[in-house]
Amino acid sequence: MKPISRRQVLVLGGLGTASIVVGGTGLLFSANSGYGPATAEDFTEPETLRSAGGALQLKLTSAEGPARIAGRQAAVLSYNGGVPGPTWRVRPGDTVKVSLKNQLSEPTNLHVHGLHVSPSGNSDNVLLSIDPGASFDYEYQLPDDHPPGVYWYHPHHHGNVAAQVFGGLYGAIIVEDPVDIPVARERVLVISDISLDASGRIRGVSEMETMVGREGDLVLVNGRALPHMVARPGERERWRIVNACASRYLRLRLDGQQLQLLGVDSGRFAEPRDVTEVALAPGNRADLLVTAVNGTATLRTLPVDRGSAMGMMGGARGSSTGADLATLSVAGSPATALAGVPTQPRPRDLRGSAIDGSRELVFAMGMRGMGMGGGASMMSFTIDGKEFDHARIDTIVEGGSIEEWTLTNTSPMDHPVHLHVWPMQIVEQDGAEVQEILWQDVVNVPANSRVRVRIPFDNFTGTTVYHCHILDHEDLGMMGMISAT
Ligand code: C2O
Ligand code: CU
Ligand code: CU
């Protein structure tokens, strides 16, 4: 396998790239959606399922069929008939039992993204395959000191992940704070994208789109297009934002309002941080405080350039397009001020710690060689030169150890690198030491660069995976297996 050259990509560009969406700025929806979404409906949220007495028990049925998307009946994939599926609200120490019934026509399974739970048995085991018509009972035991924050669930059956998530299978998980943060209201915003034809069916994707990473024509908030929210001036809201898009990067703005970021993924900052913009790679989540200011504001995502490779492929860019996502109208009598945000515990910091080992993971794109076997695309997506093989353990770590990993991206596209079970502390970016305490479970590694992280392999042993969270890249092989022993 050879690394991809500009010349080879130019050659590839001649092969059927017509359907790639070209990046635009500030477009409400890109031009090729035939679907005709209804906009400006009231903001709503999926049903909320709350744990009680230390337990949450629920049923999820994944099925293909009618569900409401952007105000119209579409034929998509859904959990329990809704897009997104129900929100789970749980507490540290809880036991969560999920009975999954697969009514899809292909295998699926369930992953609880970001939760620090066992990867084995009937816990967060993504190596399971639930056949069409079959059911499986998952059980997750959250540790008593599980970090509070925003998490999510989605299918993880290798080869079908991008299509199943893009088709509508995802939902939010909130792990509540031990000490409440006073707010006027909380909102869950699951941001996803999808492409539908005029009759409401999921539009097929070209091979080129899978190599780029499919992005939808419609960008939705809780399954609605440009929903409308209202608040009174001075009200403090808490927004739990999930980037559930299969490949789209988000750069969120809500100009005119006051934003404070509590944390990203399970990484809570010691102090809320004033921000004007929140960048979320696919899979990332934000825990955001919005203090309402008089006027009408639009939640927007700005275009993101996620690598130049696609510029070489037939002239189509790999950029995530911009879109308007929701509106917020702030009017009425001012709200009385709430108590301040309680001081958060100082996050763990491994920057000065001794490490037990270090390794490098190389994320690469290349031309598929003759000897590489029957992959799904003409390009290969590899980690350390290898495509995913469920029969091969790529990395063995010792339970309880702390390792430093260098995530090296030799390709001309960004890859958002995700590790299951154990969050990563980012210690070096762009060749510079990180000057703050930053924990994430999806870490973007920009094209032709490296990021260094430290990982404490605490609490659990067993086998799980790390992968690129551009889910098409994961399905095409950019995933490896890790065993903690
Ligand atoms: Cu959100 Cu392994 O994935
Ligand atoms: Cu995950
Ligand atoms: Cu990737």
Side-chain angles (χ1 to χ4, degrees), residues 211-212 249 306 363 365 381 411 413-416 467-474 478:
M211 292 190 286
V212 175
Y249 283 56
R306 53 188 182 83
F363 294 77
M365 288 162 62
F381 291 81
S411 81
M413 282 191 81
D414 291 17
H415 299 290
H467 58 91
C468 175
H469 217 290
I470 289 176
L471 295 173
D472 282 299
H473 292 176
E474 184 261 277
M478 198 175 258

Side-chain angles (χ1 to χ4, degrees), residues 253-370:
R253 292 191 73 104
L254 185 67
D255 293 343
Q257 303 296 312
Q258 195 193 319
L259 309 181
Q260 290 175 294
L261 190 58
L262 286 167
V264 170
D265 298 352
S266 67
R268 180 74 55 89
F269 310 138
E271 298 281 336
R273 197 167 289 183
D274 292 335
V275 293
T276 52
E277 207 169 284
V278 178
L280 298 177
N284 280 137
R285 293 86 60 208
D287 206 331
L288 187 70
L289 296 176
V290 177
T291 304
V293 177
N294 251 321
T296 296
T298 303
L299 177 68
R300 295 181 297 152
T301 182
L302 303 184
V304 179
D305 179 1
R306 53 188 182 83
S308 60
M310 304 314 122
M312 295 187 277
M313 280 199 247
R317 302 282 309 166
S319 58
S320 297
T321 52
D324 292 350
L325 302 177
T327 54
L328 172 67
S329 293
V330 183
S333 54
T336 45
L338 295 167
V341 176
T343 312
Q344 301 297 305
R346 191 187 149 76
R348 183 176 182 187
D349 187 0
L350 300 180
R351 285 176 299 175
S353 305
I355 52 171
D356 302 302
S358 56
R359 62 184 87 223
E360 181 181 26
L361 267 55
V362 179
F363 294 77
M365 288 162 62
M367 297 306 294
R368 172 174 294 286
M370 291 306 261

Side-chain angles (χ1 to χ4, degrees), residues 46-248:
E47 178 193 11
T48 302
L49 305 172
R50 248 172 241 282
S51 69
L56 175 65
Q57 191 157 0
L58 64 124
K59 287 197 169 89
L60 284 183
T61 300
S62 51
E64 187 177 343
R68 215 152 172 84
I69 301 281
R72 287 184 49 196
Q73 201 79 335
V76 294
L77 309 183
S78 66
Y79 286 121
N80 300 356
V83 177
T87 300
W88 317 351
R89 281 195 175 260
V90 299
R91 300 192 162 275
D94 279 354
T95 304
V96 183
K97 294 184 181 181
V98 182
S99 176
L100 175 74
K101 184 163 175 49
N102 180 12
Q103 286 183 348
L104 305 172
S105 54
E106 58 183 21
T108 191
N109 63 14
L110 191 65
H111 170 48
V112 284
H113 179 130
L115 287 190
H116 184 55
V117 294
S118 165
S120 306
N122 65 344
S123 182
D124 190 23
N125 181 348
V126 294
L127 303 171
L128 294 169
S129 178
I130 318 302
D131 284 333
S135 296
F136 190 81
D137 293 332
Y138 288 93
E139 183 172 330
Y140 312 101
Q141 177 62 55
L142 275 64
D144 290 333
D145 59 352
H146 193 288
V150 191
Y151 302 87
W152 64 301
Y153 60 90
H154 63 80
H156 215 291
H157 186 271
H158 179 63
N160 310 108
V161 184
Q164 291 185 4
V165 170
F166 192 75
L169 296 175
Y170 38 78
I173 304 172
I174 309 295
V175 179
E176 307 279 8
D177 292 294
V179 180
D180 269 350
I181 295 178
V183 290
R185 71 187 62 80
E186 278 208 20
R187 302 182 194 266
V188 169
L189 290 85
V190 177
I191 301 176
S192 63
D193 61 357
I194 194 166
S195 297
L196 299 169
D197 65 19
S199 66
R201 298 192 174 274
I202 301 161
R203 187 166 62 70
V205 289
S206 65
E207 182 181 327
M208 191 59 70
E209 277 179 286
T210 63
M211 292 190 286
V212 175
R214 68 188 79 188
E215 296 203 12
D217 304 334
L218 284 169
V219 190
L220 306 168
V221 177
N222 298 339
R224 299 201 156 185
L226 205 66
H228 182 63
M229 300 178 264
V230 292
R232 285 161 56 206
E235 279 187 323
R236 185 200 289 149
E237 301 196 344
R238 185 169 184 185
W239 290 14
R240 315 279 207 154
I241 306 173
V242 179
N243 183 357
C245 299
S247 312
R248 178 183 242 102

